Amino acid sequence: MWNSEAPLKLLQSMPAQLNIQNLKNIQQTIDVDKFENSKRLNRDLCGEYAPFCGMCDKWVKYPCAVAYVKMKQAEGMEVEIAASAYLPADAEVEEEVAVEEKTDKKCIRIAIAKRKS
């Protein structure tokens, strides 16, 4: 039922230590396929969509992505989730971009997690 190739291909293109943006990208890939299958079957497939649903922790920001990575780790894939990528489900991620100076310095993106009030 689920497209196992798309998230695997994406995960293989990522670094061995995943950050919050990597998890967000994996989550979006999974969400698209889960939505299309839910629409086709006329019901929400959350919790029964894929083999990794049993590892789901709804208290993290990107539950499908984290569960998928945990499944791949159990299968022997060498991939880690950075501690900074574990955010509570109610955390908001804001991105700030440093202003690039006229030197050869690179622009750095910084993600800040905030709890909803």
Side-chain angles (χ1 to χ4, degrees):
M1 170 173 39
W2 81 290
N3 178 2
S4 62
E5 292 180 27
L8 179 60
K9 193 173 186 179
L10 181 61
L11 184 59
Q12 290 173 334
S13 72
M14 293 179 171
Q17 186 167 18
L18 304 175
N19 61 29
I20 192 73
Q21 187 61 46
N22 298 137
L23 290 178
K24 181 179 179 181
N25 292 342
I26 294 169
Q27 182 74 38
Q28 289 174 339
T29 300
I30 293 169
D31 282 346
V32 168
D33 189 53
K34 184 171 57 173
F35 174 77
E36 289 177 5
N37 281 298
S38 293
K39 189 176 173 182
R40 184 174 53 84
L41 296 173
N42 293 322
R43 63 188 175 96
D44 185 4
L45 293 176
C46 184
E48 59 182 285
Y49 158 72
F52 55 84
C53 289
M55 299 177 184
C56 184
D57 178 3
K58 299 245 189 241
W59 298 105
V60 296
K61 184 72 176 169
Y62 301 111
C64 296
V66 171
Y68 179 72
V69 171
K70 285 181 181 178
M71 180 185 79
K72 293 318 245 176
Q73 288 171 329
E75 292 175 356
M77 186 176 220
E78 292 189 26
V79 63
E80 295 178 28
I81 299 174
S84 61
Y86 280 103
L87 297 174
D90 62 349
E92 291 182 18
V93 178
E94 293 180 10
E95 292 184 11
E96 295 180 5
V97 179
V99 177
E100 192 172 330
E101 298 177 18
K102 292 186 178 185
T103 63
D104 290 335
K105 293 183 181 180
K106 293 183 179 180
C107 185
I108 299 172
R109 298 178 77 182
I110 302 170
I112 301 171
K114 294 182 180 179
R115 286 191 178 266
K116 291 182 181 177
S117 301

